[in-house]
Amino acid sequence: MSITSMLIIFSTNVWIYSALKFLIGFWRSSIGTCVLILLTEKVSAEWRFRVGIVLYFTFTLGYMSLPGLAYINRNSSWKFLYLWSSIPTLCYSVIAYFFVTESPRWLVMQGRKKEILKMLKRVSSEDNVDDDLVNLASSLPKPPTKEKVSIFQLYSSIGELFHRRWALKRMIAVIILGIGIGMVYLGMPLAVGNLGFNIYLAVVFSASMEIPSCIAIYFLENYRRKPSILVFSILGGICSVMCVVVEHRVPAAKVVLAMIAFFGSCTAYNVFLIYIIELFPTSVRNTTTSLVRQAIVFGCIFCPFLISAGRKNNIFSYGVFGVVIMLSSFTLLCLPETKGIVLCDTMDQQEMKEIALCDTMNQERTENVSL
């Protein structure tokens, strides 16, 4: 991605530029998903939410640096902006390659015991741990057997999602929710030009809303995921619709409402990503998270057209944003709560867990009725 961003400065026409922009988006598409999954699979349920906050906070710092880079290079060629934003990413990628370890859960699922032992030796502070590591490797669960698949079954994890009714139901619900949240989360920063405010300061204010969002997520750690997403989605939707109501009457109020709407959608988005990871097992987690991220980006596809139409009437931008995110949030009614659960590794484990949970709930209901 970084190398392609550097090569784009040599583009001689709009077609080469567009092709390289497509490649940049293609390379970038899975980075956030892989980083979030890698972090959460390395820690226990107690720390899962906190490492997510660290990821969101570092993302915020990068987001806030963009208007600064744009302001510094406002009188320079656009090529300098690409160059200065690509060099730090290239340096980070090299550092991450040498110092970041693989997910232990993923290694177990692939049956790569030698790599697990090697990773444990690196993180262990003791010298005489070889026997303990050998015993640990022998006690690791066996990975699921992999059957030979045809050319039409190469994407087996996607096939598993569509062959199990409960997984398909969850997938459809989270995709609809992802489209709604993504439209507001990615659309509001694009719409800052319609606020009638300084574009650089508007982007800084928008990016700064990620900081209180991280703080809010820290306090939401001990709260249930579904109500948290629902409340902040509705908050973002209401404030977005209110931007239409105030229109040009009170410009300052419109800016404040837009920032609050972005704060609500940002918080809902961050909790939503952690919720997705807890909702599916390791065998399909990367696939489901990637599909949801695609749904989020799909929601953003319509944003440029809505924002362009919103320059004449805000109901086509802020109004649509607010209605879509509020309507999509009601899909949470079809999804289970995941707070504090232990992550499963296979679809069978997840299914057995769901069946046991349903039996427990039915038993509790029966006891309550009998009382």
Side-chain angles (χ1 to χ4, degrees), residues 63-74:
Y63 184 12
M64 292 182 67
S65 68
L66 293 179
L69 287 173
Y71 184 78
I72 293 171
N73 293 279
R74 65 189 183 279

Side-chain angles (χ1 to χ4, degrees), residues 1 11 67 100 134 140 205 211 224 263 277 282 301 331 337 351:
M1 180 186 71
S11 55
V100 177
V134 171
L140 289 173
F205 290 158
I211 296 178
R224 291 183 296 169
F263 163 76
I277 289 173
T282 304
I301 289 176
T331 58
E337 181 55 56
E351 195 162 358

Side-chain angles (χ1 to χ4, degrees), residues 121-352:
K121 286 181 179 179
R122 286 178 59 185
V123 300
S124 177
S125 58
E126 299 180 11
D127 297 330
N128 50 352
V129 292
D130 290 345
D131 294 338
D132 294 334
L133 292 178
V134 171
N135 294 333
L136 177 61
S138 61
S139 64
L140 289 173
K142 294 183 179 180
T145 56
K146 296 183 179 180
E147 300 178 356
K148 292 184 178 179
V149 295
S150 65
I151 188 67
F152 302 103
Q153 297 174 313
L154 289 176
Y155 297 98
S156 57
S157 57
I158 298 179
E160 271 193 293
L161 290 173
F162 287 96
H163 281 94
R164 299 179 190 251
R165 186 176 179 182
W166 62 270
L168 179 61
K169 180 181 176 182
R170 290 186 185 183
M171 201 66 238
I172 294 174
V174 296
I175 284 177
I176 295 173
L177 181 58
I179 292 174
I181 294 177
M183 182 174 288
V184 181
Y185 176 69
L186 299 176
M188 291 298 286
L190 293 177
V192 294
N194 293 357
L195 294 176
F197 195 64
N198 182 282
I199 187 68
Y200 297 104
L201 290 177
V203 175
V204 170
F205 290 158
S206 179
S208 64
M209 287 296 102
E210 299 257 9
I211 296 178
S213 174
C214 292
I215 297 173
I217 292 172
Y218 177 79
F219 290 104
L220 289 172
E221 180 180 2
N222 296 322
Y223 289 88
R224 291 183 296 169
R225 311 294 190 242
K226 288 174 58 178
S228 300
I229 299 172
L230 180 63
V231 168
F232 283 98
S233 296
I234 292 177
L235 172 65
I238 291 174
C239 291
S240 185
V241 172
M242 287 300 295
C243 289
V244 180
V245 176
V246 298
E247 196 73 22
H248 299 293
R249 302 170 192 170
V250 189
K254 184 180 178 181
V255 174
V256 172
L257 287 170
M259 296 301 105
I260 296 175
F262 180 69
F263 163 76
S265 64
C266 179
T267 307
Y269 171 81
N270 292 338
V271 178
F272 177 58
L273 289 183
I274 296 176
Y275 179 63
I276 294 301
I277 289 173
E278 297 175 336
L279 203 57
F280 294 95
T282 304
S283 59
V284 296
R285 187 171 297 124
N286 203 53
T287 300
T288 53
T289 309
S290 298
L291 289 174
V292 171
R293 291 293 289 264
Q294 291 304 311
I296 291 171
V297 175
F298 179 79
C300 183
I301 289 176
F302 306 99
C303 292
F305 305 102
L306 294 173
I307 293 167
S308 179
R311 290 170 185 166
K312 297 180 180 179
N313 191 336
N314 282 324
I315 196 170
F316 295 113
S317 54
Y318 293 110
V320 173
F321 290 166
V323 171
V324 169
I325 192 173
M326 285 192 287
L327 290 178
S328 64
S329 64
F330 288 102
T331 58
L332 288 166
L333 299 175
C334 306
L335 298 170
E337 181 55 56
T338 61
K339 175 187 173 293
I341 67 167
V342 178
L343 297 180
C344 295
D345 290 325
T346 65
M347 293 290 281
D348 292 332
Q349 290 178 5
Q350 186 80 34
E351 195 162 358
M352 292 174 61

Side-chain angles (χ1 to χ4, degrees), residues 31-84:
I31 294 176
T33 301
C34 293
V35 171
L36 184 60
I37 292 175
L38 183 63
L39 283 174
T40 53
E41 286 187 350
K42 283 189 173 187
V43 297
S44 62
E46 179 184 357
W47 288 92
R48 194 180 305 147
F49 221 73
R50 298 174 190 175
V51 297
I53 295 172
V54 174
L55 174 63
Y56 301 146
F57 184 73
T58 53
F59 173 82
T60 302
L61 295 179
Y63 184 12
M64 292 182 67
S65 68
L66 293 179
L69 287 173
Y71 184 78
I72 293 171
N73 293 279
R74 65 189 183 279
N75 296 322
S76 303
S77 172
W78 57 270
K79 297 180 180 181
F80 287 96
L81 189 59
Y82 273 97
L83 188 63
W84 289 115

